[in-house]
Amino acid sequence: MAKCNLIIDSCCDLPHDVIDREGVRLLEFPYIMDGETFADDLFQSLKASEFYGGMRKGAEPSTSQLSIPVITEAFNAAAESGVPTVYLSFSSGLSGSFDVAVLVADQVRAEHPDFELHLVDTHLASVAEGLLVYEALHQREKGLTAAELASWAEEARYFVNEEFMVDDLEALRRGGRIPGSVAVAGSALDVKPLLNIDAEGKLALVGVARGRKKGIKQLADYYAKNVAESVARQCVVIGHSDCPKDAQRLKDALLKIDENILFVESFIGPVIGSHVGPDMLAVVFWGHDKRENMSVADRIARRVKGGN
């Protein structure tokens, strides 16, 4: 029996049946489309094709962070259950929700001083966050305590490697996730941008591809270059925003590199999808330590701030 419960959020973009299990609570981020507010329930109430079809026709959905009442209700329910709990949060580098959760957690702990609650900023987003959650579910079932699982996640987050291709940068610019100058440059060059998430949990433009076919090859090459060789059977998450044929092409390319890959395929949810737009394609796997890519100055800054 699991020794702790998990709270996760919908920005993990995993299939709903993967996370739908006892002791796991999903916090649903809100998004606004055509003037109406919806909850990101991992496409339980809306088909991905409908959401992205709307964007292809010109809809411009927007998002907001988790509200104080939503987080408070979840933490209070966890406290009343009496079961030690871990919250794995969407990156603070992309949302203020983690900071809100920290404030709420302090209030809940004051009212329930014996309650054990651990908050982990995953520094990840979308299916990259999803891979961490996916393995955290397994580690929980193997019997890790809440404290052990939180410590595991705080280290494991740096070994989640991801790269994703977007059709253009306009949706990211509109949502304030990248500077306007970067989006304009990408559009002018008529290329498919390639991005990842750095060790601080922020988006970084890492390359471009001349067309989707070459972009898929570059995603596969990224996997081949960065995959952890010590993993006996690699679990790879393929995420896409309504481009299943390209997702299959990427899987085929990866199988030529390693025929033993265990795949998890998932649609990019409406909250992340609002910012990346249709036809985003991502590959996520266990790989090198992201902290190795940080400059000496950044490493020193992390130590000054109390990081690893």
Side-chain angles (χ1 to χ4, degrees):
M1 181 177 293
K3 297 180 180 178
C4 66
N5 287 342
L6 264 179
I7 298 175
I8 59 176
D9 59 53
S10 60
C11 286
C12 70
D13 286 347
L14 284 172
H16 188 269
D17 59 355
V18 170
I19 57 92
D20 185 18
R21 59 187 74 190
E22 185 177 355
V24 178
R25 171 76 178 264
L26 177 69
L27 301 185
E28 300 175 348
F29 269 76
Y31 67 98
I32 301 93
M33 194 165 187
D34 297 329
E36 189 174 353
T37 299
F38 302 89
D40 180 356
D41 59 2
L42 304 178
F43 288 127
Q44 292 302 287
S45 57
L46 177 72
K47 292 182 179 180
S49 59
E50 294 173 336
F51 175 79
Y52 289 110
M55 290 193 74
R56 289 186 174 105
K57 293 177 181 178
E60 296 184 352
S62 60
T63 64
S64 59
Q65 65 189 37
L66 291 170
S67 68
I68 290 177
V70 166
I71 299 175
T72 301
E73 193 279 326
F75 287 1
N76 275 328
E80 291 166 5
S81 76
V83 180
T85 299
V86 178
Y87 172 41
L88 300 179
S89 169
F90 179 49
S91 174
S92 65
L94 297 170
S95 170
S97 292
F98 179 75
D99 294 331
V100 173
V102 170
L103 295 175
V104 172
D106 288 341
Q107 296 173 355
V108 173
R109 291 190 188 105
E111 297 172 1
H112 304 271
D114 296 328
F115 176 47
E116 184 180 348
L117 175 63
H118 302 268
L119 275 59
V120 178
D121 178 357
T122 67
H123 292 171
L124 299 168
S126 191
V127 283
E129 179 185 345
L131 180 59
L132 187 76
V133 169
Y134 183 82
E135 184 56 38
L137 292 169
H138 291 298
Q139 295 297 329
R140 170 180 174 265
E141 291 171 359
K142 289 179 180 179
L144 290 190
T145 65
E148 291 169 340
L149 186 58
S151 294
W152 172 87
E154 287 173 350
E155 181 65 13
R157 62 189 175 181
Y158 294 112
F159 293 87
V160 176
N161 283 213
E162 72 292 311
E163 189 165 89
F164 56 98
M165 173 175 64
V166 295
D167 210 45
D168 62 56
L169 295 169
E170 177 55 27
L172 285 167
R173 181 207 62 77
R174 192 173 62 249
R177 264 55 184 183
I178 60 169
S181 58
V182 175
V184 170
S187 298
L189 294 172
D190 191 25
V191 294
K192 304 304 177 187
L194 298 170
L195 303 97
N196 70 7
I197 303 170
D198 63 23
E200 299 293 338
K202 298 179 180 179
L203 288 178
L205 181 64
V206 294
V208 294
R210 294 285 181 179
R212 292 185 67 81
K213 185 176 180 180
K214 290 183 179 180
I216 291 171
K217 182 180 184 303
Q218 287 177 231
L219 292 177
D221 290 344
Y222 174 79
Y223 170 85
K225 180 180 179 181
N226 295 285
V227 65
E229 297 179 357
S230 59
V231 178
R233 188 180 186 191
Q234 183 66 241
C235 177
V236 174
V237 181
I238 301 292
H240 65 92
S241 51
D242 199 31
C243 52
K245 291 182 179 179
D246 281 346
Q248 184 59 53
R249 293 185 183 102
L250 178 55
K251 289 169 70 174
D252 292 342
L254 293 171
L255 286 171
K256 291 179 180 179
I257 299 169
D258 181 0
E259 61 183 14
N260 295 314
I261 291 174
L262 171 64
F263 286 106
V264 176
E265 184 176 345
S266 186
F267 283 106
I268 305 302
V271 167
I272 299 298
S274 295
H275 297 286
V276 300
D279 300 321
M280 182 263 229
L281 183 63
V283 60
V284 183
F285 54 91
W286 295 105
H288 69 267
D289 187 339
K290 289 182 179 179
R291 290 166 294 191
E292 296 175 358
N293 295 334
M294 298 177 70
S295 68
V296 173
D298 285 341
R299 292 182 188 182
I300 294 171
R302 279 187 60 82
R303 290 178 182 175
V304 169
K305 292 188 293 185
N308 294 325

